[in-house]
Amino acid sequence: MKVIKWLIGGIGLASMGAFGGAAYLFQRTIKREDNVHKSTMPEDVLEIWEEHISIIKREVAWLNKQNTEALQIKTKDQLILQGTWLEAAKESKKVILLLHGYRSNGIGNFAPMAHFYHDLGYHVLLVDHRGHGKSEGEYVGFSVLDHKDCKGWIKRIIKKLGEDVQIWVHGISMGGATTVALCTEKLPGQVKGLIADCAFTSPWEVFEHVLNTEYHLLAFPTLHLADAICKRQAGYGFKDVDNKERVSHSKLPILFIHGDQDDFVPTWMSQKMYELCTSNKRLVIIKNAGHGESYFRDTETYQKAVKIFLNEIDEVVGEEN
């Protein structure tokens, strides 16, 4: 009997520990957090990002000097999301919609690329996802809710510029996964192509990867319990969007970009999505680039790949018209 009691007690303690870990995982990753957490990156990586941050600050200063306009949409669950509109320097019907990564915001992630696209003659819309920046929301959508919100931004662009507008979507990390998830949605014909930088295949797989590599934990039971909590609290599950399955039915052109030293969202995720993608596709692997670092690590290669992709789509659009 004592052995049974000890066994039951041990199981109970283990269950409590697993639930506590799951609750912490949900609280730490899905609950809105506007405070910046102390970085756990190694010193050498921090030094590299200090260089990148100086570039970002310079580009944010440039953006702040431009004549921008605040735009907003209301989601189906009645949240107000905020965006920053940068008008093209000359008359244009081309728009790039920029989707930022986890715990960031539109301007913080995309000011450098906003400048790049503006120089190419595009209108630029930088949005803050739900639970981020100036947008409302108690919980992070982690691409599952965000790709639905993105459809609202697309409608807002069409309303602003008219039915003959041409729209491209470019996202990074969580925003990249959001971008890929759009490939099987019923979108207006004005959406011409998708650019996904270091996108993950699904929230479940990226959480599982981080648990395994950073904490040396298995998905069961912590991730299963956290998934259940997220469904109850935030209204979605970590497996609700599987981009491997989605790209296998894609009809929109997709440019995948990933750094070969990404240890947060592993490079194989973009490689696998590229392999399974059924639409016009390109894959660019940036050497020596960590997570979210590709644009800064090799700006020339990155910009060249984007230009080639956009020009190819332009040619196809021109033939269709």
Side-chain angles (χ1 to χ4, degrees), residues 218-232:
L218 298 176
F220 182 84
T222 302
L223 190 53
H224 293 76
L225 291 170
D227 181 56
I229 294 171
C230 192
K231 287 177 181 177
R232 186 177 69 247

Side-chain angles (χ1 to χ4, degrees), residues 3 36 80 119 133 176 209 232:
V3 173
V36 178
I80 302 298
D119 285 347
H209 169 76
R232 186 177 69 247

Side-chain angles (χ1 to χ4, degrees), residues 3 36 41 52 60 99 113 144 149 188 243 299:
V3 173
V36 178
M41 291 189 293
H52 302 336
V60 168
L99 306 180
M113 276 183 260
V144 178
D149 297 339
N243 281 332
T299 305

Side-chain angles (χ1 to χ4, degrees), residues 159-173:
K159 180 180 179 181
K160 184 173 181 61
L161 289 187
E163 295 292 327
D164 56 344
V165 68
Q166 297 176 17
I167 303 169
W168 286 259
V169 184
H170 185 157
I172 187 168
S173 191

Side-chain angles (χ1 to χ4, degrees), residues 50 53 115 273:
E50 282 299 322
I53 290 170
H115 197 167
M273 288 187 288

Side-chain angles (χ1 to χ4, degrees), residues 45-294:
V45 178
L46 280 172
E47 289 178 8
I48 292 171
W49 270 100
E50 282 299 322
E51 298 176 11
H52 302 336
I53 290 170
S54 67
I55 296 173
I56 294 171
K57 288 180 177 179
R58 184 186 70 213
E59 295 297 347
V60 168
W62 172 85
L63 185 60
N64 287 336
K65 292 177 182 178
Q66 308 308 306
N67 186 22
T68 60
E69 175 187 355
L71 296 185
Q72 63 179 217
I73 60 168
K74 181 180 286 188
T75 67
K76 289 186 177 181
D77 53 347
Q78 304 304 301
L79 298 177
I80 302 298
L81 305 186
Q82 302 289 343
T84 300
W85 177 266
L86 175 62
E87 192 82 7
K90 56 185 179 181
E91 186 175 348
S92 174
K93 283 293 185 177
K94 296 181 180 181
V95 180
I96 187 76
L97 172 57
L98 298 174
L99 306 180
H100 67 80
Y102 179 69
R103 298 296 195 212
S104 186
N105 57 67
I107 292 175
N109 248 171
F110 272 116
M113 276 183 260
H115 197 167
F116 163 66
Y117 280 115
H118 189 257
D119 285 347
L120 291 180
Y122 285 71
H123 302 284
V124 180
L125 177 57
L126 309 96
V127 304
D128 289 350
H129 295 299
R130 59 170 61 215
H132 291 80
K134 297 179 181 179
S135 291
E136 295 180 347
E138 185 178 358
Y139 301 108
V140 175
F142 227 85
S143 81
V144 178
L145 302 181
D146 302 313
H147 82 278
K148 297 175 183 178
D149 297 339
C150 190
K151 294 166 73 173
W153 284 116
I154 290 168
K155 291 179 181 178
R156 182 68 181 85
I157 292 170
I158 295 172
K159 180 180 179 181
K160 184 173 181 61
L161 289 187
E163 295 292 327
D164 56 344
V165 68
Q166 297 176 17
I167 303 169
W168 286 259
V169 184
H170 185 157
I172 187 168
S173 191
M174 186 185 79
T178 301
T179 300
V180 176
L182 288 169
C183 74
T184 55
E185 292 294 306
K186 291 182 179 179
L187 301 176
Q190 288 87 349
V191 180
K192 302 303 180 183
L194 310 172
I195 302 171
D197 183 344
C198 59
F200 50 77
T201 50
S202 71
W204 180 278
E205 287 193 329
V206 76
F207 284 143
E208 184 175 38
H209 169 76
V210 172
L211 282 174
N212 290 341
T213 58
E214 297 295 324
Y215 299 98
H216 308 292
L217 294 173
L218 298 176
F220 182 84
T222 302
L223 190 53
H224 293 76
L225 291 170
D227 181 56
I229 294 171
C230 192
K231 287 177 181 177
R232 186 177 69 247
Q233 296 292 110
Y236 69 92
F238 300 152
K239 292 183 178 180
D240 284 358
V241 170
D242 181 352
N243 281 332
K244 297 196 304 299
E245 190 276 334
R246 291 201 168 212
V247 296
S248 66
H249 302 287
S250 175
K251 291 185 170 46
L252 277 172
I254 307 178
L255 168 61
F256 298 96
I257 303 173
H258 218 117
D260 68 354
Q261 300 299 311
D262 194 335
D263 55 7
F264 184 71
V265 176
T267 312
W268 70 258
M269 290 190 174
S270 283
Q271 292 170 325
K272 187 63 178 180
M273 288 187 288
Y274 171 77
E275 177 186 324
L276 295 172
C277 186
T278 54
S279 58
N280 181 6
K281 59 188 179 181
R282 278 184 170 270
L283 172 65
V284 176
I285 303 297
I286 303 296
K287 294 181 179 179
N288 302 315
H291 185 64
E293 194 193 2
S294 292

Side-chain angles (χ1 to χ4, degrees), residues 289-307:
H291 185 64
E293 194 193 2
S294 292
Y295 185 81
F296 303 101
R297 176 62 67 177
D298 191 345
T299 305
E300 182 179 355
T301 296
Y302 197 112
Q303 291 183 346
K304 181 179 179 181
V306 169
K307 288 178 182 178

